[in-house]
Amino acid sequence: MIIGIVGCGGIARAHVSALCLNPLITGLALYDVSADNVRLLSEISTVPVICCQDLKQLAGVSEGFVICTPNHLHVSVAEEVLRYKQLPFCV
């Protein structure tokens, strides 16, 4: 199962570390407005990573997603991802 991570800052590190311990997780799809944040987060993953260029790409390759953005952005991020594909998500 590939899980998308939207927002690759501090809290995302904890989610990536936990997800990598789950044997059902076969990969991660990462998206952030900062390519540097995506690169840095991808370096701590022990599963394959897809570095996404936008939320549409993340939705297309993911089977669920975690929102790791500032709280005031959670609703707009969830709405945008869900416009592309109905996925389970966690905020």
Side-chain angles (χ1 to χ4, degrees), residues 1-7 11-30 41 44-49 62 64-68 90:
M1 173 184 310
I2 297 173
I3 299 295
I5 304 283
V6 181
I11 194 65
R13 296 177 69 82
H15 287 285
V16 167
S17 295
L19 287 166
C20 288
L21 296 174
N22 185 327
L24 297 176
I25 304 303
T26 59
L28 299 174
L30 306 179
L41 190 60
I44 70 163
S45 177
T46 58
V47 298
V49 171
S62 300
F65 65 104
V66 180
I67 300 173
C68 297
C90 176

Side-chain angles (χ1 to χ4, degrees), residues 3 7 20 23-24 43 48-49 71 74 84 86-87:
I3 299 295
C20 288
L24 297 176
E43 292 172 359
V49 171
N71 290 344
H74 285 182
Y84 300 121
Q86 296 295 304
L87 296 168

Side-chain angles (χ1 to χ4, degrees), residues 51-62:
C51 297
C52 298
Q53 300 300 310
D54 53 39
L55 292 175
K56 183 176 184 179
Q57 181 185 10
L58 180 134
V61 299
S62 300

